[in-house]
Each structure stands twice: as structure tokens, then as C-alpha cells.
Amino acid sequence: MSIELRHLRCFLAIADTLSVTRAAERLHLTQPAVSRTLRRLEQELGVRLVDRSTHHLALTPDGAAFRDRAAVAVAAFDRALGFAHHPGWPLRLGHAWSAAGTDTTALLRRWHKEHPGTPLELLRVDDRTAGLARGEVDAALLRGDVHTPGLVTEQLTTEPRVAGLPADDPLAHRAALSLAELADRTIALNTVSGTTTLDLWPASARPSSTITIGNTDDWLAAVTGGRAVGVTTSATAEMHPHPSMAYVPLTDAPPVPVVIAWRDEPGHPHIPDLVALAREVMGVRQVRHVPQHV
């Protein structure tokens, strides 16, 4: 048996849902058919992709590694077919949160004006590489250090860090804060695509209470709901104003680099144009004042 596209699509549906039942519903197949397809793929690869030993399915380390490669292969196939029917091949730009900050509109409008025949699609993907490593986008705007193999990055700018607090918090009206003043609070950590970890604090003064969330929307809800406080960048303050939210500059937290990234392989022919435009639009950004209440 040789591996076919249907085997990859079946595995990706299982990987995304972590459920044979939900994967079958997504693919409009029966559960036995999905199980057989997965089993045949594992037999052909000679590795176990899914751990079925618990009540909940989980990817094995081999499965997690293969998921990204399978996603790239399926995305490339779909793009090849789509190109045959759409002469204006869209350029997909991913981001996990806040896109290009307040430069987002300028970036999109400049692109539309200068490259009217190639649509630029801005896609939010809650993933450390905003879908780039998995082939869901052609390029991505990312924050923090990027060490994913196979990606090329260029730093565009940096963003100062700010504390995110409920608007009625005792510290919300301060002109600035230090990390130490947040150490006795519960910290909301976005472990999927965020840049804040406990390593931001000195080892001897790290917060002892955290909650884990997976995207910016949940981070905002945790803070405005009074469950936690957080640390983010000025772009979040610019792109996600909220009447129940206060953003206060941090005096001793290092800035966060903002990079544009793309895969180190043949890709969309307009990636160099996008990199050049992003460099022009975002590279001249000055550090802006971050209002406490926005």
C-alpha cells in the first residue's frame, strides 16, 4: 500500500480533534473507516502516531512531528489545485495575535494599492508560528524568539511590554509598574502563542500562581474577569482596547522583537515583496506612549 492524500487528511482530522468520532463527522465517514485508515497509515510509516491507551486520544511524539509535515503536504496540494482556478494567487499572512499592531491597516492598504492582482489575506492562527510551520500560511508576523527549524526570519521592530490589569485594579492607575509588583498576583500565561513565561521574573521572585490559556481572547477574558493579571506588548493595548481593561507600562521588562517569517523553501513568488513592504511600514515605528486605559 502507498500513502495517499486521504490518509493524511484522515490523520490531520484526528490530530485536530483528538477524537475518532469527531474526525469521522468532519470527514463524513464512519468511525470504523477512520480507524482503519489511521491504522493503515501507521503500518505504512512503521510508527505509532496516536496513543489509544487512555480514555482520550493523544498524539505520540512521532505523531506530533508527523502532523506538521502532513499539514504542509496537504496545504501544498490544495494550493496547487487552487492556483489552477484562481489566477490571483492569494498571499496568506498569518499572525497569532495583534498582527502588525496599529501598522496593520497601513500594511494591508499599501499592499492592495501596490499589488492589486495578488490579494493579501490576513489570518489569525493560534499557534506558535501562526500556522507557518504547518503550511497554513505563506508568511507570518511573529513575536518573541523564533527557533522553529526551516523558517527564515527578519526582525522588523520591537514592542515594549505592558501589564494587563482589570480597570478597577488598585494598580491600574499607576503611570508605570515593575515586574516585582505583579509577583504576588495570579498571572495569565498564553502557552500556545504568547511570549510571557515565568522566566521573565528573577528566579527568586517568580509568581507562584498562574492560569494557562490558549489565545488572546481567553487572556483578555481572564484579566477583565478578575481571575488574573497578565503581561503583553503595546500592540495588544493598541489592537484590543476594552473598557474593563487597563494597560500599564512595565519599567524592567525587556521589549519583544517582532519578526516576519517564511519557510526556507520555494513559496509564494510575492514573499520578497511582502517582506520589503513590512520592513518599510513597520521598520520606522517609534515607541509609542501606551495609555493606561484604552
Side-chain angles (χ1 to χ4, degrees):
M1 183 198 85
S2 60
I3 296 175
E4 301 175 7
L5 192 64
R6 62 186 179 89
H7 297 106
L8 302 185
R9 291 194 191 279
C10 180
F11 168 68
L12 289 175
I14 295 172
D16 288 343
T17 62
L18 294 180
S19 166
V20 171
T21 301
R22 290 193 293 272
E25 292 172 351
R26 175 183 295 189
L27 298 170
H28 303 290
L29 297 172
T30 65
Q31 294 181 40
V34 169
S35 296
R36 286 196 302 271
T37 303
L38 173 62
R39 186 162 54 250
R40 289 169 183 167
L41 176 62
E42 291 178 320
Q43 291 172 349
E44 186 70 15
L45 293 173
V47 297
R48 189 173 163 198
L49 301 174
V50 176
D51 184 359
R52 309 171 185 80
S53 61
T54 63
H55 295 296
H56 301 285
L57 294 183
L59 296 182
T60 65
D62 285 330
F66 183 70
R67 175 184 57 190
D68 290 344
R69 293 177 174 83
V72 170
V74 171
F77 178 83
D78 290 341
R79 291 296 300 280
L81 291 185
F83 177 69
H85 300 287
H86 300 285
W89 182 3
L91 177 57
R92 303 165 302 169
L93 177 62
H95 70 103
W97 45 279
S98 297
T102 54
D103 293 323
T104 302
T105 298
L107 180 66
L108 295 176
R109 290 187 176 182
R110 284 278 304 276
W111 181 270
H112 177 69
K113 180 180 179 180
E114 298 174 17
H115 303 276
T118 303
L120 179 60
E121 299 179 351
L122 185 64
L123 304 173
R124 172 178 153 181
V125 183
D126 293 318
D127 175 85
R128 184 66 190 92
T129 66
L132 183 59
R134 297 177 59 178
E136 297 177 24
V137 297
D138 303 296
L141 293 169
L142 305 175
R143 288 171 172 81
D145 297 325
V146 179
H147 302 294
T148 304
L151 299 187
V152 180
T153 64
E154 178 176 323
Q155 182 169 322
L156 300 171
T157 186
T158 61
E159 293 172 347
R161 280 186 165 98
V162 299
L165 304 161
D168 58 355
D169 189 281
L171 299 178
H173 296 280
R174 293 277 296 278
L177 293 170
S178 67
L179 287 170
E181 291 177 283
L182 303 179
D184 62 345
R185 302 295 194 89
T186 297
I187 308 296
L189 300 178
N190 179 349
T191 57
V192 175
S193 59
T195 58
T196 301
T197 69
L198 292 182
D199 291 336
L200 190 62
W201 283 263
S204 60
R206 287 176 181 165
S208 59
S209 177
T210 63
I211 60 172
T212 300
I213 48 89
N215 56 59
T216 301
D217 293 338
D218 292 346
W219 184 89
L220 290 167
V223 174
T224 58
R227 296 179 58 212
V229 300
V231 175
T232 184
T233 76
S234 57
T236 305
E238 296 164 346
M239 298 296 286
H240 299 281
H242 194 288
S244 299
M245 189 81 171
Y247 298 97
V248 182
L250 287 166
T251 59
D252 55 350
V256 175
V258 181
V259 306
I260 187 167
W262 62 97
R263 289 186 296 277
D264 187 18
E265 60 186 36
H268 197 291
H270 281 293
I271 286 177
D273 298 322
L274 178 61
V275 173
L277 182 60
R279 185 189 305 125
E280 181 179 345
V281 171
M282 300 178 65
V284 297
R285 175 191 295 178
Q286 302 298 315
V287 175
R288 302 184 179 95
H289 170 69
V290 180
Q292 294 187 52
H293 295 276
V294 293

